[in-house]
Structure formats: structure tokens, C-alpha cells
């Protein structure tokens, strides 16, 4: 099993939900307002007057064989709108209840 953490500009919310739904990836945890700054480029997302944008984040658990197709779809979405910002990280899940 894999954990995939997705941090994204809030404008991506509907697209990411559509990707999850169309791939029958039902379970996730969602944080609506997440602040941050990318490590490479892009504008900070602090929700302030100077940096008004905000991010959101999703943590989803998927079967091993689902991780690569999901990452490919997220990469495609990110490439379509690189200025918005989207990052995703895959981690191993060792135990679950």
C-alpha cells in the first residue's frame, strides 16, 4: 500500500477530485487551507495581502499498482497549468488499522 500526499493550488480542487473519482480512489483526507511555498519556483501561498493565494492538500492511500497511474495523471494536470502549482509525494505504508 502507498500513501500519496498531494499539495495543490485550490484552483485544482475539482480536477483532482475528478481524477480520484474516475479512478475509484475513494478514501482520502482533505485539508482545505494549507500555506506554503514551493522549493523551486512559483509564488508563495500564505493567504495574506502580499501573497493571497492558498493551497489545499489531500492524503490518500492506494494499492501499489494504483500509485503510478495516479502520479501520471497528477503530473499531466500540473503540466497543463504549471503556474498554479501541484506537488505529489508517494510514501510506503508499513501498517494500517
Amino acid at each position: 500500500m502507498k500513501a500519496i500526499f498531494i499539495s495543490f493550488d485550490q484552483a485544482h480542487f475539482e480536477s483532482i477530485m475528478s481524477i480520484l473519482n474516475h479512478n475509484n480512489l475513494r478514501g482520502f483526507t482533505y485539508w482545505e487551507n494549507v500555506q506554503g511555498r514551493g522549493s523551486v519556483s512559483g509564488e508563495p501561498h500564505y493567504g495574506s495581502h502580499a501573497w493571497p493565494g492558498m493551497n489545499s492538500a489531500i492524503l490518500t492511500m492506494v494499492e501499489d499498482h494504483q500509485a503510478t497511474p495516479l502520479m501520471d495523471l497528477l503530473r499531466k494536470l500540473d503540466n497543463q497549468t504549471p503556474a498554479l502549482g501541484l506537488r505529489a509525494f508517494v510514501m510506503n505504508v508499513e501498517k494500517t488499522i
Side-chain angles (χ1 to χ4, degrees):
M1 182 167 272
K2 303 289 186 188
I4 301 180
F5 179 80
I6 311 164
S7 177
F8 55 93
D9 186 289
Q10 289 180 334
H12 280 310
F13 178 75
E14 294 297 327
S15 296
I16 291 174
M17 292 305 298
S18 178
I19 288 170
L20 294 176
N21 289 334
H22 283 101
N23 289 278
N24 203 29
L25 300 172
R26 201 169 171 271
F28 63 87
T29 298
Y30 169 64
W31 295 270
E32 185 174 5
N33 293 313
V34 179
Q35 297 179 16
R37 180 179 66 186
S39 59
V40 178
S41 63
E43 301 289 331
H45 290 74
Y46 297 149
S48 68
H49 286 37
W51 304 107
M54 287 295 288
N55 286 329
S56 293
I58 288 177
L59 178 64
T60 186
M61 306 301 158
V62 301
E63 297 299 327
D64 289 1
H65 69 276
Q66 296 172 308
T68 297
L70 175 56
M71 292 295 285
D72 290 344
L73 291 168
L74 294 171
R75 185 178 331 283
K76 182 178 176 183
L77 176 61
D78 184 41
N79 288 339
Q80 291 172 355
T81 53
L84 287 182
L86 185 156
R87 296 292 176 263
F89 306 89
V90 178
M91 299 160 275
N92 289 321
V93 175
E94 294 185 22
K95 294 181 184 181
T96 182
I97 56 169

